[in-house]
Amino acid sequence: MTAAGATPPARFARRGLATKLFAALLLLGAMAVLLTGILGFVRAREALQNTIYNQLTALRYSKARQVETYFRTVQDDLRLIAHSKMVVDAARDFRRDFDELERKPMAGDLRERVEQWYADNYLPEVRRLLGENVALADFLPRGSAATYLQYHYIVANLQPMARRRLLNDAGDGSAYSATHALYHPLLRNAAATVGFFDLMLADTRTGRLIYGAVKEVDFGTSLRIGPYRDSNLAAVVSRCAAGADRAATCLEDFAPYLPSSGQPITFMAAPVFDQGQVIAVLIAQLSIEEIDKVVTGGRRWRQEGFGASGEAYIVGPGSTVRSGARLFHEDRDRYFAELAAAGHPRRRSMRYAATIHRSCISASTRRPRVPLSPGSRGPVRSSEISARTRSPPGDRSISPASNGRWSPRSKRRKPSRPSTGCSATYCWLEGWPDRKSTR
């Protein structure tokens, strides 16, 4: 009975051991499955990261080449126009007729009308943009020729501001208007054909703008002593006039320009030679819409491969954007909210809004956080293009571009909202061709 009575506990002991062994094997199997799953997830994630990285790299190089091609084309077009016989003859004739107007006496009521027009139409905008009560005399055209031409081509022009360029002859009977009627249609068509917003001629002797296609308030003024002597237009004319290289072109980066309603403007210039001497500088005011169109692909982000939330935009020195942000076009309230979150006070953001809404883009208004280059302790170099998303930094690659002035950089980040493929990607192009004259 004793042996028989000991049988059930032994049986239970054996069953308990079997249960423990089964549980241990089950736990080991689960751990193996879990480990296999984790390894598979890590490898799949790495493969997906490599795929996205390669896609970002391709997008980065594609945008870099498009921008480089655009500026190379602009340089070639401007150089070709500056070397044409038409522009050389126009510069010579405009200089002669401008000097003739400068020597002639001017009617007093004409100056009064110009002053009244400035007080009513231009000075209020200048005060709003500068945020201070500036004096009218500081912005009036100086000299008989500048006042005379601004009256006939701006003040007395019946066309609205956006259509002033359509006036070929002011009908005042002056030699300048006869020359203007001859060359203005040709220069205006040339600017429209190559995509320049404005085309101007500056006299290298006096620094005066002796011709302008759009007829803004800088027409006829001096870039040496006038209110725009510290502008990027004055800088590009000064540098280009000092050169003796026929193949040289000069580029000045974006900066707010008062005659263009304070919008961020960039200028490119080329010298005009006559008998071996630089007699004038041909200046092209580049259309910011054209640059934006190149970078954003005509705002066709999905067709460009950026999906639901990706974009490409240019960032220059100081981390200021040089092309439009996709979010600004699609959700402006959120765009300004992000500006405020990035450190821009709401009041300052709304002050920017007027310029943004006028030009329909957000160039030179937003200062995105610029990540650090690998191995460096300071900001990235001023010539980089980056592909990334709207969240904290992730993968990165850096490689030099073909022309030595661009340094493409690729970055991937976790999307801030659901997306597919490369849908949450930015491409940054930081910097421009150097400020020296380039060939």
Side-chain angles (χ1 to χ4, degrees):
M1 291 180 62
T2 304
T7 299
R11 185 180 302 169
F12 289 146
R14 288 196 298 272
R15 288 181 180 177
L17 181 61
T19 300
K20 292 178 180 179
L21 289 174
F22 178 76
L25 291 175
L26 185 62
L27 180 60
L28 290 174
M31 291 178 62
V33 172
L34 181 61
L35 182 60
T36 302
I38 293 175
L39 292 176
F41 171 77
V42 171
R43 291 178 179 177
R45 184 181 64 177
E46 290 178 353
L48 182 60
Q49 285 178 337
N50 290 334
T51 301
I52 296 177
Y53 177 84
N54 292 334
Q55 186 174 1
L56 296 182
T57 302
L59 288 169
R60 180 194 66 198
Y61 276 109
S62 175
K63 287 300 174 185
R65 296 300 175 263
Q66 288 179 33
V67 173
E68 290 173 355
T69 301
Y70 170 77
F71 278 101
R72 191 177 300 114
T73 302
V74 169
Q75 285 182 334
D76 293 342
D77 290 341
L78 184 63
R79 188 183 299 117
L80 180 64
I81 296 174
H83 292 172
S84 65
K85 186 177 185 302
M86 175 194 69
V87 170
V88 176
D89 292 342
R92 187 191 310 116
D93 294 346
F94 277 128
R95 286 178 63 182
R96 179 197 63 217
D97 298 337
F98 193 94
D99 291 343
E100 181 182 338
L101 288 176
E102 191 71 21
R103 292 190 296 267
K104 285 185 176 180
M106 183 180 55
D109 60 335
L110 190 147
R111 180 175 294 277
E112 292 177 0
R113 294 175 187 176
V114 172
E115 291 179 1
Q116 188 62 44
W117 184 91
Y118 266 76
D120 296 339
N121 297 276
Y122 185 56
L123 196 62
E125 182 179 24
V126 171
R127 288 172 175 170
R128 179 179 57 82
L129 292 172
L130 297 181
E132 55 182 296
N133 190 22
V134 295
L136 173 63
D138 294 341
F139 293 89
L140 290 174
R142 302 182 183 182
S144 300
T147 305
Y148 181 90
L149 293 176
Q150 287 204 14
Y151 172 77
H152 286 286
Y153 286 92
I154 296 179
V155 177
N157 193 335
L158 299 180
Q159 297 286 353
M161 182 175 63
R163 296 169 60 87
R164 287 176 188 162
R165 68 184 73 196
L166 298 181
L167 180 62
N168 294 330
D169 190 345
D172 59 321
S174 65
Y176 184 95
S177 291
T179 300
H180 189 274
L182 175 62
Y183 293 111
H184 177 61
L186 302 174
L187 294 171
R188 181 183 60 206
N189 292 337
T193 300
V194 299
F196 298 155
F197 175 78
D198 195 4
L199 203 59
M200 296 170 280
L201 281 169
D203 188 348
T204 55
R205 297 174 307 169
T206 62
R208 288 189 176 273
L209 291 177
I210 56 178
Y211 169 79
V214 175
K215 302 299 184 296
E216 293 183 318
V217 292
D218 54 5
F219 178 43
T221 61
S222 173
L223 298 176
R224 296 177 183 174
I225 60 174
Y228 316 116
R229 61 185 181 276
D230 296 324
S231 65
N232 54 346
L233 174 59
V236 76
V237 170
S238 177
R239 289 194 296 111
C240 217
D245 187 356
R246 289 178 175 270
T249 57
C250 307
L251 177 69
E252 198 66 23
D253 198 3
F254 280 100
Y257 189 58
L258 275 179
S260 296
S261 302
Q263 296 184 30
I265 302 296
T266 184
F267 295 99
M268 184 177 288
V272 178
F273 283 85
D274 183 25
Q275 298 180 358
Q277 300 293 325
V278 181
I279 63 170
V281 175
L282 181 68
I283 313 111
Q285 180 174 326
L286 302 188
S287 171
I288 202 169
E289 286 82 6
E290 290 295 327
I291 299 174
D292 186 66
K293 190 183 301 183
V294 171
V295 179
T296 65
R299 300 176 189 172
R300 296 180 294 109
W301 291 279
R302 290 182 181 272
Q303 293 85 340
E304 290 275 310
F306 291 108
S309 61
E311 65 175 317
Y313 61 89
I314 300 176
V315 177
S319 300
T320 50
V321 180
R322 298 297 193 267
S323 59
R326 179 176 183 175
L327 188 60
F328 172 78
H329 298 291
E330 296 181 345
D331 190 348
R332 297 191 179 183
D333 291 336
R334 183 181 172 189
Y335 176 81
F336 286 111
E338 288 193 0
L339 275 181
H344 290 273
R346 178 70 177 174
R347 191 174 183 182
R348 184 181 179 189
S349 299
M350 295 311 295
R351 186 179 67 187
Y352 284 147
T355 299
I356 296 174
H357 283 282
R358 276 197 304 270
S359 58
C360 298
I361 66 168
S362 55
S364 295
T365 61
R366 185 181 178 191
R367 297 175 64 88
R369 180 178 299 175
V370 181
L372 300 181
S373 296
S376 70
R377 297 184 180 181
V380 294
R381 292 186 299 271
S382 62
S383 301
E384 295 189 351
I385 181 170
S386 170
R388 66 177 196 173
T389 60
R390 293 174 177 165
S391 297
D395 299 331
R396 175 185 303 164
S397 73
I398 297 180
S399 59
S402 59
N403 66 357
R405 295 194 301 270
W406 309 92
S407 177
R409 177 170 55 91
S410 175
K411 183 179 285 291
R412 185 186 67 82
R413 294 182 174 188
K414 183 179 178 181
S416 60
R417 58 177 182 264
S419 57
T420 58
C422 190
S423 61
T425 304
Y426 288 77
C427 290
W428 288 9
L429 182 55
E430 304 180 10
W432 301 87
D434 56 32
R435 292 177 174 248
K436 297 179 180 179
S437 298
T438 56
R439 297 187 180 186

